[in-house]
Every structure is written in C-alpha cells, then in structure tokens.
Amino acid sequence: MTDNDDLRRLVRTIPDFPKPGVQFRDITTLLLDPWGFGETIARLGATVEEEPDLIAAIDARGFAIGAALALELGCGLLLIRKDGKLPGETIAEDYALEYGSDRLSMHVDACTPGERVLIVDDLLATGGTALAAARLIQRAGGVVTGARFVIDLPELGGAAALRGEGIEVEALLAFAGD
C-alpha cells in the first residue's frame, strides 16, 4: 500500500459518530471530487492482477466503489445487501459489527459455481461484513479472489481476519484508531 496522501486529504473525519469516541472516516467527500473518485477507482483497479468475473459490492457506500470498479475492470456487479432489501429468493448471513450485529443477503442466482468474485467496500474495520459477504459467495459456489477497500482501520483487525480466512486484501488508505 502506498501512502496516497492526495486521496487521504479528500477523506473527512467526523468525530463521535456513530458513538462517542469513534472517528468516522467519511468517503463521501472523496466521492464528491471527480478527480479523487476517478483516481480511487484507477488505483484500486491497478491492485487487481487477475480480473474477476464479478465485483461483490457491499451495501451501501460499497455500491459506489464497486460499480465504478466493475466498469473499470469490465466485469459484472453482484450486490450484497442488508437483509430484506432484495426481491426474489435470497440467501442470508448474520455477522457481528464493531457496534452490534446485522444480516446480509444476496440473490441465490447472483453468482454461479466457479465464478471468480472480488469483494469491494469503502472501509474495512473488524472484517465482519466482508467475511459475511465471502461466506455468501462461497455458499453460492463462487470463488472469492480477494477484497479491496478504500480505507483500512488496521487496529481493528479486519485485514488480519480476512487473511486468516485465505482472502487477499488491499486498501488504498490506512487510518489509525477507530
């Protein structure tokens, strides 16, 4: 990972959100900057050695990053949503968050056996969300080729958790603290 200080300057920190003591790393300011958004996608794309069949974008900010990266890499987009948001038959996975628990789902036919899938989200904290997405993809028969994030919060251990499950991880930026 390079320092990407030019992109780092476009990320806003919001103190005490969603609870006191948390320094929320907000990428919406980066997304508002056309150059910054474009560079983010180009740099994430450059970290991918073997193009996947699908980008699995995680609800909600991951959708913006994942959709743009899917276009950049010329592959399809698989949406991983909060439970109850997708029509049709779905599979779901519960997971722990740094602030509680939640449930993700995807369409049962969104990924076919053997398809190579890259997981994408805006931020990696504890890794619970990305691990739940990986389990969904694997349950559908997909092969998780790695995970990409704009921001990693290394002290929260998400990258280590993903690597512990054999998932290759890259992030453009790392921020200390939570």
Short mmCIF file of all heavy atoms in Angstrom, two decimals, residues 1 24 55-56 58 60 67 92 98 100 105 124 136 141 143 162 172 174-175 177-178:
data_model
loop_
_atom_site.label_atom_id
_atom_site.label_comp_id
_atom_site.label_asym_id
_atom_site.label_seq_id
_atom_site.Cartn_x
_atom_site.Cartn_y
_atom_site.Cartn_z
N MET A 1 0.84 -1.18 0.00
CA MET A 1 0.00 0.00 0.00
C MET A 1 0.89 1.24 0.00
O MET A 1 1.82 1.33 0.77
CB MET A 1 -0.91 -0.04 1.24
CG MET A 1 -1.71 1.20 1.43
SD MET A 1 -2.96 1.16 2.72
CE MET A 1 -2.28 0.19 4.00
N PHE A 24 -15.16 8.69 12.66
CA PHE A 24 -15.75 8.13 11.45
C PHE A 24 -15.02 8.66 10.23
O PHE A 24 -14.90 9.87 10.04
CB PHE A 24 -17.24 8.49 11.37
CG PHE A 24 -17.95 7.81 10.25
CD1 PHE A 24 -18.44 6.53 10.39
CD2 PHE A 24 -18.16 8.47 9.04
CE1 PHE A 24 -19.11 5.90 9.35
CE2 PHE A 24 -18.82 7.85 8.00
CZ PHE A 24 -19.31 6.56 8.15
N ILE A 55 -17.71 -8.27 -9.36
CA ILE A 55 -17.38 -7.46 -8.19
C ILE A 55 -18.56 -7.61 -7.25
O ILE A 55 -19.70 -7.34 -7.63
CB ILE A 55 -17.19 -5.97 -8.53
CG1 ILE A 55 -15.99 -5.76 -9.47
CG2 ILE A 55 -17.07 -5.13 -7.25
CD1 ILE A 55 -14.65 -6.02 -8.87
N ALA A 56 -18.32 -8.04 -6.01
CA ALA A 56 -19.36 -8.09 -4.99
C ALA A 56 -19.27 -6.82 -4.17
O ALA A 56 -18.33 -6.63 -3.39
CB ALA A 56 -19.19 -9.31 -4.10
N ILE A 58 -20.65 -4.21 -1.35
CA ILE A 58 -21.38 -4.31 -0.10
C ILE A 58 -22.15 -3.02 0.18
O ILE A 58 -21.62 -1.92 0.09
CB ILE A 58 -20.41 -4.64 1.06
CG1 ILE A 58 -19.71 -5.99 0.79
CG2 ILE A 58 -21.14 -4.67 2.39
CD1 ILE A 58 -18.64 -6.35 1.79
N ALA A 60 -23.73 0.07 1.84
CA ALA A 60 -24.25 0.91 0.79
C ALA A 60 -23.13 1.67 0.08
O ALA A 60 -23.14 1.75 -1.14
CB ALA A 60 -25.25 1.91 1.36
N ALA A 67 -19.44 -0.48 -8.18
CA ALA A 67 -19.98 -0.27 -9.53
C ALA A 67 -18.93 0.36 -10.44
O ALA A 67 -18.73 -0.08 -11.58
CB ALA A 67 -21.24 0.61 -9.47
N ALA A 92 -28.93 -15.60 3.15
CA ALA A 92 -28.53 -14.55 4.10
C ALA A 92 -27.48 -15.08 5.06
O ALA A 92 -27.34 -16.29 5.26
CB ALA A 92 -29.76 -14.04 4.86
N GLU A 98 -18.69 -3.86 14.57
CA GLU A 98 -17.99 -3.26 15.71
C GLU A 98 -18.97 -2.60 16.67
O GLU A 98 -18.63 -2.33 17.81
CB GLU A 98 -16.90 -2.30 15.25
CG GLU A 98 -17.35 -1.19 14.36
CD GLU A 98 -17.32 -1.52 12.87
OE1 GLU A 98 -17.53 -2.68 12.48
OE2 GLU A 98 -17.11 -0.60 12.07
N GLY A 100 -22.45 -3.82 16.99
CA GLY A 100 -23.62 -4.66 17.15
C GLY A 100 -23.60 -5.82 16.18
O GLY A 100 -22.55 -6.41 15.94
N SER A 105 -27.61 -10.21 2.68
CA SER A 105 -28.20 -11.20 1.78
C SER A 105 -27.79 -10.91 0.34
O SER A 105 -27.32 -9.82 0.02
CB SER A 105 -29.73 -11.21 1.90
OG SER A 105 -30.28 -9.99 1.50
N LEU A 124 -12.74 -1.02 5.74
CA LEU A 124 -12.53 -2.29 6.44
C LEU A 124 -12.23 -1.99 7.90
O LEU A 124 -11.24 -1.32 8.21
CB LEU A 124 -11.37 -3.05 5.80
CG LEU A 124 -10.95 -4.36 6.47
CD1 LEU A 124 -12.10 -5.36 6.50
CD2 LEU A 124 -9.74 -4.94 5.75
N LEU A 136 -21.36 -15.80 1.93
CA LEU A 136 -22.47 -15.86 0.98
C LEU A 136 -22.00 -16.30 -0.40
O LEU A 136 -22.62 -17.16 -1.03
CB LEU A 136 -23.15 -14.48 0.88
CG LEU A 136 -24.06 -14.08 2.02
CD1 LEU A 136 -24.47 -12.62 1.88
CD2 LEU A 136 -25.29 -14.97 2.09
N GLY A 141 -21.27 -21.06 -4.35
CA GLY A 141 -20.31 -21.76 -5.21
C GLY A 141 -19.27 -20.86 -5.84
O GLY A 141 -18.43 -21.32 -6.60
N VAL A 143 -15.97 -18.29 -6.07
CA VAL A 143 -14.60 -18.31 -5.55
C VAL A 143 -14.20 -16.87 -5.23
O VAL A 143 -14.15 -16.03 -6.13
CB VAL A 143 -13.63 -18.90 -6.60
CG1 VAL A 143 -12.20 -18.87 -6.09
CG2 VAL A 143 -14.06 -20.32 -6.97
N LEU A 162 -9.53 -11.35 7.51
CA LEU A 162 -9.73 -11.82 6.14
C LEU A 162 -8.56 -12.68 5.67
O LEU A 162 -8.77 -13.75 5.07
CB LEU A 162 -9.92 -10.63 5.20
CG LEU A 162 -11.24 -9.87 5.34
CD1 LEU A 162 -11.21 -8.58 4.55
CD2 LEU A 162 -12.41 -10.72 4.90
N LEU A 172 -6.34 1.24 -0.11
CA LEU A 172 -5.54 2.39 -0.56
C LEU A 172 -5.04 3.23 0.60
O LEU A 172 -3.96 3.81 0.53
CB LEU A 172 -6.37 3.28 -1.49
CG LEU A 172 -6.79 2.67 -2.82
CD1 LEU A 172 -7.58 3.68 -3.63
CD2 LEU A 172 -5.58 2.17 -3.60
N ALA A 174 -4.79 3.76 5.07
CA ALA A 174 -4.94 3.23 6.42
C ALA A 174 -5.02 4.42 7.37
O ALA A 174 -4.27 5.39 7.23
CB ALA A 174 -3.76 2.34 6.78
N PHE A 175 -5.94 4.34 8.30
CA PHE A 175 -6.10 5.37 9.32
C PHE A 175 -5.93 4.72 10.69
O PHE A 175 -6.51 3.66 10.94
CB PHE A 175 -7.48 6.03 9.24
CG PHE A 175 -7.63 7.02 8.14
CD1 PHE A 175 -8.09 6.62 6.89
CD2 PHE A 175 -7.31 8.36 8.34
CE1 PHE A 175 -8.25 7.53 5.86
CE2 PHE A 175 -7.46 9.27 7.31
CZ PHE A 175 -7.94 8.86 6.06
N GLY A 177 -6.49 4.30 14.69
CA GLY A 177 -7.64 4.48 15.57
C GLY A 177 -8.88 3.85 14.99
O GLY A 177 -8.84 3.16 13.99
N ASP A 178 -10.00 4.12 15.68
CA ASP A 178 -11.27 3.55 15.19
C ASP A 178 -12.17 4.59 14.57
O ASP A 178 -11.88 5.73 14.49
CB ASP A 178 -12.01 2.86 16.33
CG ASP A 178 -12.18 3.72 17.57
OD1 ASP A 178 -11.64 4.83 17.61
OD2 ASP A 178 -12.86 3.24 18.49
#
